[in-house]
Amino acid sequence: RIYRKSVTIWPRQQVGSFVSQRLSPRGAQPAPNSGGSTKKTRRRVASMAQRRAANIRERRRMFNLNEAFDKLRRKVPTFAYEKRLSRIETLRLAITYIGFMSELLAGTPTHDAVS
């Protein structure tokens, strides 16, 4: 037997109101005289000095993050001829290495060992 799913097509007006009700915060009611229009929120414009300061903070944050990854790359064992590991490769290799070292210290056999 072949089963076919029935497809229900709803009028756009019904779907639109359903979606807006689902997306609004719980218990929130629309303003009584809003008429369905939403007020455009005003975006705060940052001054040039604020933007420059934010850029400096972001640059410093990224520098510190890259420095931390470089330190982690030096601690994780790799082959000399391998290319520089990406961030995700570094993290995955570090997780594997930590797991291996934990098993080694605990004295439990690894899953790759053959008795």
Side-chain angles (χ1 to χ4, degrees), residues 4-103:
R4 295 180 190 226
K5 294 181 180 178
S6 63
V7 177
T8 304
I9 300 175
W10 291 17
R12 184 178 291 257
Q13 296 84 8
Q14 289 178 348
V15 173
S17 65
F18 176 72
V19 170
S20 64
Q21 288 171 358
R22 294 287 295 163
L23 293 178
S24 65
R26 292 179 190 244
Q29 296 296 326
N33 58 0
S34 66
S37 65
T38 58
K39 184 178 179 184
K40 189 174 181 180
T41 58
R42 196 172 222 189
R43 230 177 126 202
R44 183 171 175 248
V45 179
S47 70
M48 197 65 159
Q50 288 173 325
R51 189 71 244 143
R52 189 171 293 127
N55 287 342
I56 290 169
R57 284 192 307 270
E58 178 64 14
R59 217 172 291 122
R60 188 175 299 134
R61 185 187 74 83
M62 288 305 300
F63 177 80
N64 290 335
L65 185 66
N66 288 332
E67 200 171 58
F69 270 105
D70 287 337
K71 286 180 182 178
L72 184 60
R73 281 186 194 102
R74 286 193 295 270
K75 299 294 182 190
V76 175
T78 57
F79 294 110
Y81 59 85
E82 282 187 12
K83 63 177 178 56
R84 181 175 170 257
L85 296 173
S86 70
R87 287 179 178 178
I88 191 68
E89 290 169 337
T90 302
L91 290 174
R92 286 180 178 152
L93 188 58
I95 290 168
T96 304
Y97 182 62
I98 291 168
F100 171 75
M101 295 304 283
S102 297
E103 287 178 359

